[in-house]
Amino acid sequence: MNELGQKLRQARIDKGYTIDDLQQITKIQKRYLLAIEEGKFDQLPGKFYVNAFIKQYAQTVGLDGQALLQEYQQHDQVTESTPETTDTADEVKSKEATASEAKNQRTLTESTAPRFERIRAYLPQIIIIAVVIILIVGIYAIALSHRHSNSDQQAVESRSSVKVTDERSSSKKAASASSKRSASVSSKQASLAAKQNSRKAKQATTDLKVTSGTKTANGQTFELSNYPSANNTLTLSTKSATAWITVVANGSTQWQGSVSSQRAQSVSLPNGITSFVVTTGNAPVTELKVNDTTVKLPTTATVVQNYTFRIAGQTGTNAATTNQNTTQSTTAQSTTGTATTGATTNRTNATTNQ
């Protein structure tokens, strides 16, 4: 029936269809369409699908599907009515080959069966022997470990006795040597204590000290002792929430901005100043450090506070000017801080809500 497949293939080509196009149109799998064109109808699922696929293929490419189907059915009936002499001979050969294979398989099974039966008969004895061997090996291993532990214990006891003897002899030597070292140790300890005391006294005189001064409703003054002449840093942070802080030194603003517990701010203080002012818009949560020294701020319910820090021992013509500028800046910042309290509080609350 290759002629039927060639007719369908030529009609498809004339229509300009590819196998993929035909598969998309007819919904028939590509392998079945190729089998029809090649005349391999035995690769289709069954006669019903063969008839349906041939008819649908022919109608899609513009041929008479019924006529092609009748042509296929007539050829199929002729093929089925032909004598099967050749097939019968092939079947005989196949049956003989199958019988020979079955006989060989049966012979192989019969030859191997007694061997497995003999092994199965001795299986309990094999298991018992294996268990006995395992027990013997385990007992030997335990005995060997005990022997090693006893020998180790005897070695430890002998070493300990030697060690005790050595300790007794060495203790006598140490007693005589300790009396000689006691005098030198006592003198060294005295010298070391004197050095430590002098170091502590020197450190006490050089450490930065913060002394609280006058307290008002809007702030407080502090006095800084042992203030270094250079490289001084002011650290600004909060316990919680957010605060708007301004730092003024020498009458000019050094820094202003928002700080929080997660975002601290370090401000470098100018050299040669006699005072500086810190204005905070959220005093209850504000924290200050001068260098590494924490400033203990007063507890207050007022939100805006001005903290004035005066540096002890600083004199000169700039002192009066700095104090005057600081006072003016403090007054201006207090007014500004009071005016911006609502804005600062709103900013703090917004940050807390976030």
Side-chain angles (χ1 to χ4, degrees):
M1 287 300 293
N2 194 23
E3 296 82 2
L4 178 62
Q6 290 297 327
K7 288 181 182 179
L8 293 172
R9 182 175 180 277
Q10 188 60 44
R12 172 178 64 78
I13 294 173
D14 294 340
K15 280 283 187 179
Y17 293 151
T18 64
I19 288 293
D20 293 331
D21 296 335
L22 199 62
Q23 177 181 251
Q24 186 68 24
I25 296 170
T26 62
K27 307 303 179 185
I28 301 173
Q29 294 184 23
K30 182 178 180 179
R31 55 175 178 160
Y32 294 148
L33 295 173
L34 292 173
I36 291 173
E37 289 185 355
E38 295 172 359
K40 299 177 181 179
F41 298 102
D42 56 341
Q43 295 182 4
L44 274 65
K47 287 186 177 181
F48 173 80
Y49 291 99
V50 173
N51 297 335
F53 289 170
I54 290 175
K55 187 175 181 180
Q56 187 175 2
Y57 191 131
Q59 291 175 351
T60 303
V61 296
L63 298 178
D64 188 352
Q66 189 64 34
L68 288 177
L69 181 60
Q70 290 178 356
E71 181 181 346
Y72 165 75
Q73 290 175 348
Q74 291 174 359
H75 182 274
D76 189 43
Q77 290 176 358
V78 171
T79 303
E80 290 179 353
S81 62
T82 55
E84 299 181 356
T85 55
T86 304
D87 294 340
T88 303
D90 292 339
E91 288 181 358
V92 171
K93 292 180 180 180
S94 177
K95 289 180 180 179
E96 290 179 352
T98 302
S100 176
E101 184 178 354
K103 183 178 180 181
N104 293 334
Q105 184 67 28
R106 185 167 58 255
T107 304
L108 180 61
T109 303
E110 291 176 354
S111 62
T112 56
R115 187 181 306 167
F116 288 114
E117 290 295 333
R118 288 195 297 271
I119 294 174
R120 188 182 300 173
Y122 290 108
L123 187 60
Q125 290 85 343
I126 295 173
I127 294 174
I128 293 172
I129 293 171
V131 170
V132 171
I133 292 173
I134 292 171
L135 290 175
I136 293 172
V137 171
I139 293 171
Y140 179 75
I142 293 172
L144 189 62
S145 64
H146 279 296
R147 183 182 301 173
H148 283 300
S149 63
N150 291 335
S151 62
D152 292 340
Q153 185 175 1
Q154 291 175 359
V156 169
E157 290 177 354
S158 63
R159 284 197 299 269
S160 63
S161 62
V162 172
K163 186 177 180 181
V164 169
T165 304
D166 292 340
E167 287 178 351
R168 288 177 181 175
S169 61
S170 61
S171 62
K172 293 179 181 180
K173 296 178 181 179
S176 61
S178 61
S179 60
K180 296 179 181 179
R181 289 195 301 268
S182 59
S184 62
V185 169
S186 59
S187 61
K188 289 181 181 179
Q189 288 178 348
S191 175
L192 182 61
K195 290 180 180 179
Q196 289 178 348
N197 291 333
S198 68
R199 190 182 299 111
K200 289 180 180 179
K202 186 183 294 184
Q203 186 176 5
T205 59
T206 57
D207 285 348
L208 178 66
K209 293 182 180 180
V210 181
T211 305
S212 300
T214 306
K215 181 179 180 181
T216 63
N218 293 328
Q220 183 169 345
T221 61
F222 298 92
E223 184 173 312
L224 301 178
S225 303
N226 300 329
Y227 184 81
S229 60
N231 300 325
N232 295 291
T233 303
L234 177 65
T235 304
L236 311 173
S237 63
T238 62
K239 301 174 186 176
S240 60
T242 305
W244 184 269
I245 298 177
T246 303
V247 179
V248 178
N250 287 344
S252 63
T253 301
Q254 303 298 318
W255 183 86
Q256 64 177 354
S258 176
V259 298
S260 65
S261 58
Q262 288 81 21
R263 188 176 66 254
Q265 178 66 37
S266 296
V267 180
S268 297
L269 297 172
N271 299 334
I273 61 174
T274 58
S275 66
F276 60 89
V277 179
V278 178
T279 302
T280 174
N282 193 358
V285 300
T286 301
E287 293 181 335
L288 301 178
K289 277 186 179 182
V290 179
N291 295 337
D292 293 329
T293 303
T294 301
V295 180
K296 186 176 181 181
L297 299 178
T299 303
T300 178
T302 305
V303 176
V304 179
Q305 290 284 295
N306 299 303
Y307 301 122
T308 302
F309 293 85
R310 293 188 175 89
I311 300 170
Q314 294 287 350
T315 59
T317 57
N318 292 332
T321 303
T322 303
N323 290 334
Q324 182 178 0
N325 292 335
T326 301
T327 303
Q328 293 175 356
S329 176
T330 302
T331 304
Q333 289 169 359
S334 298
T335 304
T336 304
T338 304
T340 58
T341 300
T344 304
T345 304
N346 292 335
R347 189 185 296 107
T348 303
N349 292 334
T351 305
T352 304
N353 291 332
Q354 290 177 357

